[in-house]
Amino acid sequence: METSPKLGTYNYRYGAMAGGIGIVFSIMLFFMDMTYDQSPVIQAINILIPASMAVMATLTFKKDNTGLLSLKQAIKLGVGVFLVAAFIELAYFTVFINFIETDFISNTAAMQADALREAQPTMDEDIIEMQQTNTEKYFYIISYPVILIINVFIGLIVGLVTGLFTKKS
């Protein structure tokens, strides 16, 4: 009797590849002075990297499992790949903002304050400064869990869609 391959192996392998590619992409943006650029194209690429790895993990698992794939397995693969990639990229991000771009948090808070001033010109300056101070103060507490939750959610969607198109029990 043959046993099914372990999902964790595929999650770690393809999640590590997605994390590595994401880090290379981030370094490329840093050297092109585009670290703070949040254009829709850059955001789409940041989603497509782990999404493509999650699809590849699902297809490879299905092939290695003699063509069998359940929807549950596809969802676990999607979430797993995104989660592994997120942890790797967050580790790099921690190194990046603490050693490479040490003003990242204050620059990000200042950019958010400028955007708020532009969007709400009548807003009191004290409120804008308070928002900027809170962003700097609570950056780690808020951004890391939010990044993980968003990655799990997107991984769930990618796994579900991939599973619906490729499942065979």
Side-chain angles (χ1 to χ4, degrees), residues 39-115:
S39 73
V41 173
I42 290 174
Q43 291 178 10
I45 291 170
N46 280 325
I47 293 172
L48 286 174
I49 291 169
S52 61
M53 289 294 121
V55 170
M56 286 176 56
T58 304
L59 295 175
T60 304
F61 176 83
K62 181 179 178 182
K63 185 185 88 177
D64 293 347
N65 197 29
T66 62
L68 298 177
L69 176 74
S70 69
L71 188 58
K72 183 178 177 181
Q73 290 170 324
I75 291 172
K76 285 182 179 181
L77 284 165
V79 170
V81 168
F82 268 83
L83 204 53
V84 170
F87 277 116
I88 291 170
E89 290 180 11
L90 282 176
Y92 163 74
F93 186 58
T94 302
V95 170
F96 180 78
I97 63 178
N98 286 310
F99 299 107
I100 299 170
E101 183 75 19
T102 55
D103 294 333
F104 181 83
I105 297 172
S106 59
N107 290 344
T108 301
M111 287 175 48
Q112 288 176 347
D114 291 342

Side-chain angles (χ1 to χ4, degrees), residues 30 34-38 43 93 96-98 101-117 128-140 142-144 147:
F30 175 72
M34 296 175 68
T35 300
Y36 300 100
D37 187 2
Q38 292 300 314
Q43 291 178 10
F93 186 58
F96 180 78
I97 63 178
N98 286 310
E101 183 75 19
T102 55
D103 294 333
F104 181 83
I105 297 172
S106 59
N107 290 344
T108 301
M111 287 175 48
Q112 288 176 347
D114 291 342
L116 192 57
R117 281 184 193 97
I128 294 173
E129 288 177 15
M130 183 179 67
Q131 180 271 340
Q132 185 173 354
T133 304
N134 286 338
T135 298
E136 292 174 3
K137 190 174 182 181
Y138 299 111
F139 184 81
Y140 291 108
I142 294 172
S143 64
Y144 282 41
I147 289 169

